[in-house]
Amino acid sequence: MSTASVQGRGVNRRLDSLQRNGRSSSNASRPRHRPVSHNDAYTYALRVALLHHLLQPRARRLQHVPAPAPPPVHRATTSMNDLMKDFSVIRDSKSTRFPHGFMAELEKSLTGVLMGKDRRQEYKDPAIKRTFAVFYTAFTEQSFRKRMEQDRRVEDLVLIFFSSATKELQKGKAATDDSWKLMVDRHVALFVRLISSTLRDHDWVRDRSELTTRLATLEQKLLKHDQDLAAASTRAGGGGGTSIEVEVPVSYEVKDMPLVLVVGRIFGVSITQMQSDINKNRSVWTEKAALQDLKTYQNFLNLNSTKTLRSEDFDVDEAYEAWRNSEGPDLSHLMLAILKSNPQLAKSAPGGSHLPHLGAESAHSDSGYSDGNFSEIGSSYVFDQPVDMSGYPVDGGGMPGASDDEENPFTYVPSDPRGYYRFILKQALTHDLNSPEQQPAEGFQDTPLSFLSKPTTALLTELCVRWRIPPFSRAVLFLDVVKDRFIEQDVSLDTLDTAFTHVQQPVPESTKPSSTFLPPLHDRSKWTTSDFALYRHILSDLHDALLRDLYDLLMRCYETKQPSIGPLMFVIENHVLDDPLFSKGPEEGGGFAAQAREGLRQKAKEVYAGFLSKEVPSSQDEWEFYHVIQLGRAVLKLAERIQKRYRKNPEIMGVNPLQVLVETVLPAYGDDARDIVQRIMQVAEARDEPVDIQDGFTLYKELVEIRRVQMDALPNVEFAFHIESLLAEFVWRWIQMTDEKITDWVEQAVKQDDFRVRTEHEDQIPTDDERHSVSVIDIFRSFNQSIDQIAQLNWDDDLQYAKFMTALSKTIGAGLMRYCDILEQRFTKEMDRLTPEQEATAGQTRQERWMQLAKDAWNNREKIEPFQFFPESFVKLNNIEWATYQLDNLEKSMNVDACAEVIQRNTPAAIQRQRKPSNFVFTIKIVEAEDLKACDINGLSDPYVVLGDEYQKRLAKTRIVYSNLNPRWDESVDITTQGPLNIIATVWDWDALGDHDCVGRTSIKLDPSHFSDYMPREYWLDLDTQGRLLLRVSMEGERDDIQFYFGKAFRTLKRTERDMTRTITDKLSAYIHHCLSTNALRSLLNKGISMSSVSSLFRAQRQSVPQPGPTSAEVTNALRPLFQYFDDNFAIMKQTLTDAAMVMVMSRLWKEVLSTIEGLLVPPLSDKPSQQRQLTQQEMDIVFRWLQLLFDFFHAVDEESGISDGVPMDLLKSPKYHEIQALNFFYFEATENLIRTSERMASATATRQQQQRNRLSAPSALGGGHSFGGAAGLLGLQSTRRTKSIMLSRNLGTMRKAKEEKRKEAQADPNDDMILRILRMRPEAANYLRDRSRQKERLAAAAAAELIVRQSLSTGGGGRMVASLPRR
């Protein structure tokens, strides 16, 4: 059976047996020992200390002896074999063989002697060197060296050296001369000494003590006649005598007994008293009595008596046998030590003249009582040869006073060795702990424990050896004593840890377990049952004591400076809980955890009560948010400190201090915070003194942090109250304050802005990022700060946060609208200033003005001067463009779509269906007018439109279109109303002199019920004089929606941007109309024709000769003034406008060019015939040539790089451009073909209308009492688009998407508009135009009737409204 299996089985059996109640039966037969008294313990300790002194090696001194007559010289022995018999007796012993590697070291020593490096005087003799040289030759021979490495026997080396020395020293000697033989003994002795020194120098003596002893004995025998290696004539001062060593008699003085002095110090006995006790008992406390104790113990051991340990004291037989087998050799060693100290005891033994063989195993026993213990106190208990002590008498004859106790057969061993040893150990530990200044005595080895002195350790070791206390019992008893002293608070936790650490750590391989005062407890299979029981009792008592200390420390864990529990937990976990012999029921550990948690709850309540009394005033009228904040910070600070303190080990013996703190304090704080905050707000409301908003925000952050801590620690426990519901009032107040101040912020920002590019140097070319001014930067900085103020709160209620962002978006939209109004007013004022000619005209009289106008009309002169733009005007346009991009970034940062989704998801479906907007936004686009009344003497007008309500409040005003009876404005305005509203549209003629003339009026009623499908409609409104006005009207329900507010803000910016751009291009459009007019075309065709040639035309024959047309160069040169005009103005714009704004202005100019060229080719769309003449082929070629030249000019492709620097190609090739290009296919077609094509397209359009009934236009009756004109339905299909809604303009992405869809729809849905416009120039098509107009009116009326029926059958407009709201 393996050792491991035996050991494992032993431990398991022992653990099982200790759990059974019958285990005590093995000790029941033992007599119960009486308590150990102080005097008895002192007496037995004194006996052992005295015995230790008696067994010490005797001191020696030199004594002169006169030299007798010289006897004949004899050899020390008759032969070398007789000298080496000591080695042959133990030939097979491992301890007598020299170690591996010894041969190489011995060779180095021999070399040192031969070369004179050895400093010892005895090796300087030349004869010695010759003898060693001869041996060195034999020593280095390979076969001998190999054999020696295998056998490693010392006697072989000695015999070879003896042979070599004999051969060398007898050279030249007579056969009768024996003097050389003595020299052989000397040389062999020196060789033996060299071997011993080699072993000693390489620390091989420890493991080869037997070999060292034999070598020393051999050396003494060889030097019997010449020990000092000197001649006889020089000894004793030349007197012929000799000096011999004699033993010093044993001293019985206490001062000469180190361990006796230790006993006195431990028990507090004076030297005089101890001297008296020793003198009184010296006849009894002798070496012979010690020898008798050993033999008596040996007999009891053999008889399995109760005086020694028995097999019943062990759980496994293997452990008992191991202990028993170790006791025999140890007892023999102890007896040998006594006999060596007092050889007279050996003479009384029968057969004492010849010592029998003891057995090799005693020489290297692994028992717990080897001679290593005695070497520590300076004695040598080993004989030169093994001895068997079984022949010595063991009776008590001749030993007076064997024991004072009749029941105790021993002199030196008490009746209860464990009890006496424990008492003395406790006494010694108490003494040494109370005498920390005591230094270890000289000559004692270092002890493993710092709190026991070296003399004390020596005494305890001697007691264990004499009283036969096993090593494991020593350690268990030591821990029991330390445990008691710890419970009594006489030793510290560090001392307890040191004690356990020592007895639990493994012993170095080079050290025998028995050579230490406290051997380790690692081999527990050899323990006795009493040791097991005591050790478990030690662990149990320590566990209870340590838990009490841990409880006390935990009760202080909430203090600022809590004592560390790390050392205590280390001892509990490593020395108690991790020990396999410790067994505590789970209910005991749970009981501690429950008690500790309850105690911590009380401590937490006390700590929180302290915080509450410190931070919160007792008077409720003095409460402020600051007090709640400070109370929360104190709680958080404590929680953070506890978390940091127990970061590595948050749970201690089933107790989590942080969790207990959070469970106790945070709910209490939540309740108190709610009550205090509510009370503060009630007091503030009663006093009409609102709490500061920033205080509310700070309080919210603190409360949220405390709630987070509670959720992390207690995920299943809700916070005491909903923080957001209680403190949402402060956010709404902040938003309200922002809404009240936003207009002032905008006005102040504009007021402080000079609208200049932001360059460091005037000659520096600004980048696009520097071309906007500071006002727009300040405004958006204010917007972002307002949003960040709420965003930084990390509001933990998504619905409330979405509502906050919705309210802020409304405020931001109002601020941007105000900013756009101010900038547009200033921009309009700057752009509408008088030209120098107008200023000069303003100084003339009325008669002079009429005369000048008549003169200009007679001369047909039109002066077109370039407009001088202000850089500040362009900066304003840059600001609007930059604001658009910043608003788009703001929309992304606010996560507008997510906010809208949260609100919609948390709004019940029933409420969504029932919700109707209270405000309605009508978008009125003033498109164009036709056939207006001429108010100027030149037969034209300068019309503009003013919109007002029924209370004569001005709502909007368009720009002025100069010299035009068919003007086109394409301007939009938003009007918000809560119910039906009558709008009056008045067309005015602008006059530089005097009052403006009224061209005509019309009206329209905006009724939300008529636009419940939220589809746009177009109205031709007849003026009360002549002509008519085209309005495009759409409606959207204004609602509390973040997407709606952003869409409204975006549309405001884009309209402002468009209006500014149009105003800029209007300043250039006059010259565009001049250069691309009918007069310019005719001038180009009539170039070079004089009055005589014109007269000849009337006299010419009827067959006319076609005139040659203008050359390509002439056509190109006709536009050079326009190109130069563009270049001059573009250069001015380029200095200030950004690249994007520049492209925007050029794109708008391109639209103006397309509109002008379109006006040259066809008249506007109407149901009446036009007076405009159709162009000839030659004229049309010139117009399209101009179109191509202008296209190339605006595209601005670099000839070298091929890169376009102008308007992108996709903007140039707009739907209008493709419509103009398509005129080539129909322009010169016959009227009948055009009518048939128009009818085919009308049929296809009717089919599409039938399929798209949800996109029909409104009936004419909705036009506020006015009916459609003849062309009421010509634009009906275009009115079905919804790309201009606010929701589709909520960011730049949706705007780009809507524009792209509009482009695709225009390309995929062709109509016959251009054909109808061509037919207006054909008088024979008048009837067809009238019939088409009536057809459109009927279709529109049918569509309106069907729409009314559908609305009446539906469940209500609200549901349809919600369904039609576009959502991302």
Side-chain angles (χ1 to χ4, degrees), residues 81-92 96 155:
N81 292 332
D82 294 337
L83 292 174
M84 300 301 296
K85 68 178 182 179
D86 291 347
F87 292 93
S88 63
V89 173
I90 53 176
R91 183 180 184 88
D92 296 332
T96 60
E155 57 266 31

Side-chain angles (χ1 to χ4, degrees), residues 904-931:
Q904 185 178 16
R905 186 172 61 248
N906 289 275
T907 303
I911 296 179
Q912 293 185 24
R913 289 192 299 267
Q914 296 174 4
R915 185 177 59 185
K916 295 183 179 180
S918 58
N919 294 334
F920 303 91
V921 179
F922 282 93
T923 301
I924 301 177
K925 183 174 184 180
I926 305 171
V927 183
E928 62 179 339
E930 67 176 20
D931 196 19

Side-chain angles (χ1 to χ4, degrees), residues 734-753:
W734 167 264
I735 296 174
Q736 181 182 359
M737 183 186 68
T738 303
D739 187 67
E740 294 173 354
K741 293 182 178 180
I742 194 70
T743 302
D744 184 61
W745 293 349
V746 172
E747 292 175 353
Q748 291 298 326
V750 174
K751 185 177 180 180
Q752 298 175 9
D753 193 1

Side-chain angles (χ1 to χ4, degrees), residues 921-974:
V921 179
F922 282 93
T923 301
I924 301 177
K925 183 174 184 180
I926 305 171
V927 183
E928 62 179 339
E930 67 176 20
D931 196 19
L932 297 180
K933 181 180 68 173
C935 298
D936 296 336
I937 60 175
N938 58 1
L940 300 174
S941 296
D942 302 322
Y944 65 93
V945 179
V946 175
L947 296 182
D949 61 10
E950 53 192 357
Y951 303 105
Q952 298 183 355
K953 178 183 178 181
R954 191 178 205 181
L955 301 177
K957 174 181 174 295
T958 68
R959 74 186 191 284
I960 303 170
V961 178
Y962 296 97
S963 303
N964 202 324
L965 298 180
N966 299 295
R968 188 175 185 90
W969 293 280
D970 286 328
E971 294 187 18
S972 300
V973 62
D974 287 341

Side-chain angles (χ1 to χ4, degrees), residues 1202-1236:
I1203 299 175
S1204 173
D1205 295 329
V1207 182
M1209 184 68 72
D1210 58 337
L1211 295 180
L1212 290 175
K1213 292 186 176 182
S1214 62
K1216 179 66 69 177
Y1217 175 81
H1218 289 291
E1219 288 180 358
I1220 295 174
Q1221 292 288 346
L1223 284 175
N1224 280 316
F1225 298 100
F1226 305 107
Y1227 201 75
F1228 296 106
E1229 280 286 332
T1231 302
E1232 293 79 6
N1233 294 337
L1234 291 177
I1235 291 175
R1236 283 195 295 269

